Amino acid sequence: MSSTNFMGKLLDGVEVEWKSISDVFHLKNGYTPSKSSKEYWTDGTIPWFRMDDIRENGQILGDSFQKVSSSAVKGGKLFPANSIIISTSATIGEHALITVPHLANQRFTCLSLQSSYIDSFNIKFIFYYFFLLAGWCKKNTTMSSFASVDMDGFRKFQIPILCPENPKKSLEIQAEIVRILDAFTDMTSELISELTSELTMRKKQYNYYRDQLFSFEDDEIEWKTLEEVANFSNGKGHEKDITKDGEYIVVNSKFISTDGQVAKYSNKQICPLFINDILLVMSDLPNGKALSKTFIVDVDDRYTLNQRIGGISVKNKNELLPKFLYYFLNRNPQLIKYDNGVDQTNLRKDQILGVQIPILSLTEQKRIVSILDKFDVLINSISKGLPREIELRQKQYEYYRDLLLSFPKSEEIEA
């Protein structure tokens, strides 16, 4: 059934009136209470939301959000319960429905229904409709030090009022739309969760077999420090040299941790790299997943490093295969042990060069590399296929959600 026919049946005989956001909502800017005023942050009971506290689907991340005391409230007025916060700067468009009195930081704009419209709307319906507003926000930003929404246009964004002369029927229609979208949201979330779990299990399986291959019990195995078998250097900060059409791919921790899917480009070569050089992440957030993750260079003179990445080149390839070292150093326990789970971990050069490397016969190194290459192909296939499936499911959900919320702007609803 086409969206026009579906909406025609759902809204048969229903008038749709359009109002601007500024007509329907009170708008307030979020703010951050002074960090130097300890009384604001002591024994707090009022939720204060930041960008990290919400997901893209508007869910609040547990109850780990910060709370402030009543003394931190400007003018003694909280953002009311059953209002929506939406990011209008930085991470544009992310929004959440908040069902308790609260505050939010300066990245958010809070929208609460004006008293004359409280009985006209199901707030969950508005929450879903604001995914369309979020899309508008992302397309209508101004740039200064960071992205921010065109607030004049934001205030003029149109909200549909269904059968304005019959509030009861309007609420019934809104409730039905919410019911459908709630069910579709739950179904999509469950499917994405299953796909994500499958991807996680496959990666754990890969890590298990890799660790087994690197569990050496032979006392006759020779061990050498990385300093003995390889040369080491790291990059420099060069954000000013980054351009979209530059000649060199700047390797950073995000580039490595996403398997090369994210890259920045520089028009100035700072740290040249060559095929079979190994790149290692030297810095990561507490309990992150990128520390000591590796990348092996696949072509000469294409990559350059930022200051948080170490470059490693094998001294004698007749003694140590670069691909073997690449696999061995990847998330190596000798390095990730420095992650204390509290502060950002910054590996020192001496810690990296002190890693003990097993010196096996080239035949054995080739055997291990061959096995891990096959695992790598399998896992990469799954790692690319499942996220693609997750992306498609999410897009499918968004497509049907937007269809359900596409109300005709003409006075007549086509059958």
Side-chain angles (χ1 to χ4, degrees):
M1 179 184 296
S2 71
S3 62
T4 300
N5 287 338
F6 179 82
M7 294 308 296
K9 290 181 179 295
L10 185 63
L11 301 176
D12 185 25
V14 172
E15 180 184 354
V16 179
E17 182 181 349
W18 295 86
K19 292 284 187 179
S20 67
I21 278 182
S22 60
D23 290 333
V24 176
F25 296 94
H26 295 293
L27 279 70
K28 294 183 179 179
N29 295 327
Y31 62 93
T32 298
S34 174
K35 295 289 186 178
S36 62
S37 299
K38 293 183 179 180
E39 68 272 15
Y40 291 168
W41 305 93
T42 304
D43 299 324
T45 59
I46 300 168
W48 175 74
F49 295 103
R50 303 161 300 166
M51 293 310 309
D52 292 342
D53 295 325
I54 65 172
R55 294 191 181 101
E56 288 186 1
N57 61 6
Q59 292 180 333
I60 299 299
L61 299 179
D63 58 358
S64 61
F65 46 80
Q66 290 184 271
K67 295 181 180 180
V68 297
S69 66
S70 57
S71 60
V73 182
K74 287 183 178 180
K77 293 185 178 181
L78 294 172
F79 298 163
N82 294 321
S83 57
I84 295 172
I85 55 174
I86 182 167
S87 175
T88 49
S89 66
T91 52
I92 303 294
E94 292 186 15
H95 65 288
L97 168 60
I98 312 297
T99 58
V100 296
H102 61 283
L103 295 175
N105 78 5
Q106 61 272 18
R107 303 299 186 206
F108 288 108
T109 297
C110 175
L111 297 97
S112 57
L113 287 167
Q114 296 182 20
S115 58
S116 57
Y117 287 98
I118 288 177
D119 295 330
S120 301
F121 286 107
N122 179 325
I123 193 64
K124 191 72 175 289
F125 169 82
I126 293 294
F127 163 75
Y128 279 124
Y129 197 82
F130 272 15
F131 281 101
L132 301 183
L133 173 61
W136 181 92
C137 287
K138 292 173 183 177
K139 296 177 182 178
N140 292 272
T141 61
T142 57
M143 296 297 297
S144 53
S145 56
F146 53 83
S148 59
V149 171
D150 169 15
M151 293 306 295
D152 287 338
F154 181 91
R155 294 182 180 90
K156 296 175 183 177
F157 186 85
Q158 298 289 293
I159 302 293
I161 301 179
L162 310 180
C163 43
E165 303 302 323
N166 190 342
K168 181 180 178 182
K169 186 174 182 180
S170 176
L171 291 173
E172 288 173 352
I173 295 172
Q174 292 178 56
E176 176 63 11
I177 291 174
V178 167
R179 184 193 67 79
I180 295 170
L181 288 176
D182 279 347
F184 199 13
T185 299
D186 290 343
M187 180 182 67
T188 303
S189 296
E190 182 179 357
L191 179 58
I192 289 176
S193 177
E194 290 174 355
L195 291 171
T196 302
S197 296
E198 176 70 12
L199 178 58
T200 299
M201 289 303 298
R202 294 302 182 188
K203 287 183 176 180
K204 285 184 177 180
Q205 182 184 46
Y206 168 77
N207 291 335
Y208 171 80
Y209 285 113
R210 184 197 62 201
D211 292 346
Q212 291 298 307
L213 287 170
F214 287 131
S215 296
F216 305 110
E217 298 180 356
D218 190 342
D219 294 336
E220 295 183 1
I221 290 178
E222 181 183 6
W223 294 80
K224 292 184 178 182
T225 64
L226 184 63
E227 185 174 19
E228 294 177 277
V229 299
N231 297 309
F232 175 87
S233 62
N234 66 294
K236 300 178 180 179
H238 47 265
E239 296 298 317
K240 292 181 180 179
D241 297 314
I242 289 176
T243 64
K244 290 184 178 181
D245 56 353
E247 184 177 355
Y248 300 97
I249 296 176
V250 178
V251 179
N252 53 23
S253 60
K254 191 173 184 180
F255 175 91
I256 294 179
S257 63
T258 56
D259 297 320
Q261 296 303 305
V262 177
K264 296 180 179 180
Y265 296 83
S266 174
N267 59 5
K268 180 180 179 182
Q269 186 177 15
I270 293 177
C271 183
L273 297 164
F274 304 99
I275 193 166
N276 289 326
D277 283 350
I278 299 152
L279 313 182
L280 181 141
V281 177
M282 300 171 58
S283 179
D284 195 18
L285 297 174
N287 296 317
K289 300 298 182 182
L291 188 70
S292 185
K293 195 163 185 180
T294 55
F295 172 82
I296 190 162
V297 175
D298 53 3
V299 64
D300 287 342
D301 205 25
R302 182 185 180 193
Y303 301 96
T304 183
L305 304 181
N306 82 351
Q307 70 272 30
R308 300 181 187 278
I309 305 298
I312 298 164
S313 60
V314 172
K315 293 179 179 178
N316 183 359
K317 295 180 176 62
N318 291 320
E319 176 186 55
L320 183 63
L321 297 177
K323 196 69 174 291
F324 176 85
L325 183 61
Y326 154 75
Y327 280 125
F328 184 77
L329 290 177
N330 188 39
R331 296 289 288 166
N332 190 284
Q334 296 179 64
L335 292 174
I336 61 177
K337 70 180 181 181
Y338 295 109
D339 182 358
N340 62 19
V342 178
D343 304 311
Q344 177 168 306
T345 301
N346 297 294
L347 294 174
R348 301 194 308 268
K349 180 179 178 180
D350 63 294
Q351 292 171 334
I352 296 170
L353 291 177
V355 171
Q356 295 289 313
I357 309 297
I359 307 301
L360 312 178
S361 68
L362 288 180
T363 299
E364 180 62 9
Q365 290 183 53
K366 289 177 182 178
R367 185 187 74 86
I368 292 175
V369 166
S370 176
I371 293 172
L372 290 176
D373 277 347
K374 292 175 183 176
F375 267 114
D376 211 29
V377 169
L378 175 62
I379 295 301
N380 281 336
S381 176
I382 294 172
S383 296
K384 292 177 181 178
L386 286 179
R388 175 59 177 163
E389 181 67 17
I390 291 170
E391 180 184 4
L392 289 174
R393 295 299 182 183
Q394 183 64 30
K395 286 184 177 179
Q396 181 187 48
Y397 163 71
E398 292 171 0
Y399 173 78
Y400 285 110
R401 181 194 66 207
D402 293 351
L403 277 182
L404 195 59
L405 296 170
S406 296
F407 304 106
K409 294 207 172 181
S410 61
E411 293 186 0
E412 284 187 23
I413 300 174
E414 296 178 21

